[in-house]
Amino acid sequence: MEHNQFQHPARVLVGLGFPTDIQSVQDAFVLLDEWSPSKRNAAHGIALNACRAALAGEVDAETARSTFVAFARRMDLLVPAAGDIVAAKAVGTFGFASGGHYNKSM
């Protein structure tokens, strides 16, 4: 595996909400570098700097991925993994089935 490839791609929404897999530090860097300056925030700066550091060999690709995922989550771009969706639905379904309706007075 190339040293800048992510162990697991990060799936994010781009453009008009289309999912795409970010598979490497380079992919993440390009998305962050092209991000609209008016929409940049601290999370963007941290992720961009982590990607720069990974491309320079100063940090590993997974560190850059973690900061990129944090940015994507904060911007509501991260697409949850299918297993996460199934687990969330199971908890919701079983929560109501086993405990009844939520009692606000408790």
Side-chain angles (χ1 to χ4, degrees):
M1 175 167 56
E2 187 179 323
H3 74 282
N4 282 330
Q5 289 292 118
F6 295 154
Q7 288 181 9
H8 302 285
R11 182 165 281 188
V12 297
L13 299 173
V14 296
L16 297 173
F18 294 102
T20 190
D21 287 337
I22 303 298
Q23 299 188 24
S24 68
V25 174
Q26 183 66 37
D27 291 346
F29 179 82
V30 168
L31 187 144
L32 292 163
D33 192 49
E34 293 176 353
W35 197 254
S36 172
S38 66
K39 295 182 180 178
R40 294 180 182 191
N41 58 19
H44 173 273
I46 292 167
L48 187 62
N49 287 338
C51 288
R52 278 192 186 114
L55 291 170
E58 297 168 0
V59 299
D60 61 53
E62 292 308 303
T63 299
R65 182 186 184 280
S66 294
T67 60
F68 177 76
V69 166
F71 161 77
R73 185 173 288 122
R74 173 163 262 185
M75 299 304 291
D76 204 23
L77 300 174
L78 191 64
V79 177
D84 295 343
I85 295 169
V86 170
K89 287 186 177 190
V91 167
T93 300
F94 294 129
F96 283 114
S98 64
H101 293 289
Y102 177 71
N103 184 349
K104 293 181 183 177
S105 64
M106 294 176 130

